[in-house]
Amino acid sequence: MHEASIAISLIETVSGLCKDEGYNSIESVRLKVGRAAGILPDALLFAFDIAKAGTIANEAELIIEYIALGGYCCDCGSQFESEERYVFFCPACNSRAIKITTGDEMQIIDMEVN
Ligand SMILES: [Zn+2]
């Protein structure tokens, strides 16, 4: 399961940051996940709850902000957002010359520590 390894590395990252700053526990972690990142939020939440056991993130709540897929068309210049996981054509003119600019990222926004 792809999300399990993501959850484990996420816990390692936030635990490392937390310890480096001299804190003892993590309250919550906010994560930005793009719709096209290939991550299922439910699976990631589930994996996070398993991976955090016995770590300083034991009590941490994972908050996922799901980012829509967005981009623009090189032909007609229109910008678009989509709730789909993939976009292959410009919704305005059907051109294939599109650039995806948001929606494939996964990034820690911030975290609350004690
Ligand atoms: Zn277009």
Side-chain angles (χ1 to χ4, degrees):
M1 202 170 95
H2 174 60
E3 281 78 7
S5 55
I6 294 170
I8 290 165
S9 68
L10 181 61
I11 295 277
E12 282 171 357
T13 303
V14 294
S15 299
L17 288 169
C18 185
K19 283 176 188 159
D20 286 350
E21 299 292 326
Y23 295 101
N24 301 312
S25 70
I26 300 170
E27 300 275 298
S28 66
V29 178
R30 274 204 302 155
L31 192 67
K32 186 161 84 170
V33 175
R35 194 164 281 278
I39 297 166
L40 298 173
D42 287 350
L44 184 57
L45 286 170
F46 182 75
F48 184 85
D49 278 347
I50 295 170
K52 73 184 184 183
T55 73
I56 60 171
N58 193 32
E59 299 293 320
E61 182 192 3
L62 181 62
I63 302 156
I64 297 178
E65 293 191 4
Y66 218 28
I67 308 294
L69 186 61
Y72 64 92
C73 174
C74 301
D75 282 339
C76 73
S78 69
Q79 301 206 349
F80 55 85
E81 266 198 2
S82 174
E83 296 303 312
E84 303 295 327
R85 286 179 64 186
Y86 304 101
V87 173
F88 298 109
F89 301 100
C90 169
C93 73
N94 284 328
S95 168
R96 278 180 172 272
I98 56 171
K99 282 232 174 1
I100 301 298
T101 52
T102 60
D104 58 358
E105 65 269 64
M106 191 199 88
Q107 197 185 323
I108 297 166
I109 301 170
D110 54 24
M111 58 189 210
E112 271 183 72
V113 292
N114 264 322

